[in-house]
Amino acid sequence: MKFFLDTAKVEEIRAATELGICDGVTTNPTLIMKSGRSQEEVVKEIAQIVRGPVSVEVIAEDAPGMVKEAEEFSAWASNIVIKVPMTKEGMKAVRILSEKGIKTNVTLVFSATQALIAAKAGATYISPFVGRLDDVSSDGMELIEQIMDILDNYEFETELIVASVRDPIHVVEAARLGAHIATIPAGVLEKMWNHPLTDKGIAQFLEDYEKSKKE
Ligand code: E4P
């Protein structure tokens, strides 16, 4: 299972990269805004830090506009992936980009039918948003299970990115379902490391080591 960082903050990406647990990065206009930098400047820097795919979202709402933006973003670095919204125009763009050999990540996926359409259009990745589904009393992880079944049934090459991850349990459930990737906010990644019994155990061992030196 791959871990992507769901952020446009380079300090968070550098920290995860140093720990060897950043296989890629996803951004969106909100995350770019939170970075306080321009999309082009920050994405170019991220693409140098990370070897894996870096998703950048298009803003155009029509397929020709999306393809134009995609071609511009793709020139920034070789690991750029174009994030395209799950609309009819978006799927037209994904088909064109797929033929051009440009990788795509279909975003704002909230149903199995949307995922199936995106896979058939040739999407490299699809991003179902589990947290936002949970927010409206739907079961986000149930959608992941459905989409994984569909992808397996037909041997699509499309990979599933579990997105809108809100807590470590989302990551555990994604892994149990065999999801290819989870894109994780830095705050959630931090929680995945911690356990009070680990801290307590280390403190106890250090204390006992000091005692053993004195005996
Ligand atoms: C990633 O591709 C998505 O843009 C992101 O996970 C959305 O997360 P949110 O629902 O917390 O905004």
Side-chain angles (χ1 to χ4, degrees), residues 51-136:
R51 280 170 181 257
V54 177
S55 288
V56 191
E57 192 155 341
V58 293
I59 298 302
E61 292 182 78
D62 61 310
M66 290 177 188
V67 171
K68 190 164 172 278
E69 281 182 64
E71 286 173 334
E72 183 197 327
F73 300 164
S74 299
W76 292 348
S78 58
N79 51 346
I80 297 292
V81 171
I82 307 303
K83 229 175 176 192
V84 178
M86 177 59 226
T87 60
K88 287 180 182 168
E89 287 301 301
M91 293 314 95
K92 281 188 213 167
V94 165
R95 215 170 272 285
I96 295 166
L97 294 171
S98 165
E99 279 163 16
K100 287 176 182 278
I102 294 176
K103 291 185 176 167
T104 53
N105 173 0
V106 175
T107 189
L108 293 164
V109 169
F110 292 98
S111 75
T113 50
Q114 289 180 325
L116 183 53
I117 288 166
K120 282 174 69 63
T124 318
Y125 304 101
I126 45 174
S127 292
F129 279 32
V130 293
R132 293 194 196 185
L133 277 171
D134 291 352
D135 288 345
V136 294

Side-chain angles (χ1 to χ4, degrees), residues 115-211:
L116 183 53
I117 288 166
K120 282 174 69 63
T124 318
Y125 304 101
I126 45 174
S127 292
F129 279 32
V130 293
R132 293 194 196 185
L133 277 171
D134 291 352
D135 288 345
V136 294
S137 306
S138 286
D139 187 343
M141 295 316 301
E142 192 182 324
L143 175 61
I144 301 303
E145 192 171 1
Q146 288 176 0
I147 299 173
M148 285 308 296
D149 282 347
I150 290 168
L151 294 179
D152 288 347
N153 281 347
Y154 295 99
E155 296 177 357
F156 284 113
E157 286 179 17
T158 306
E159 290 192 285
L160 187 154
I161 304 177
V162 178
S164 190
V165 164
R166 299 278 164 79
D167 55 54
I169 296 297
H170 275 151
V171 181
V172 172
E173 289 179 357
R176 292 186 71 181
L177 292 170
H180 309 97
I181 302 152
T183 189
I184 310 170
V188 174
L189 197 63
E190 186 61 29
K191 287 182 191 163
M192 289 167 59
W193 287 95
N194 299 331
H195 199 290
L197 292 178
T198 305
D199 300 340
K200 192 178 168 193
I202 290 169
Q204 182 73 58
F205 286 151
L206 287 176
E207 195 183 314
D208 292 346
Y209 172 72
E210 291 303 324
K211 276 186 204 162

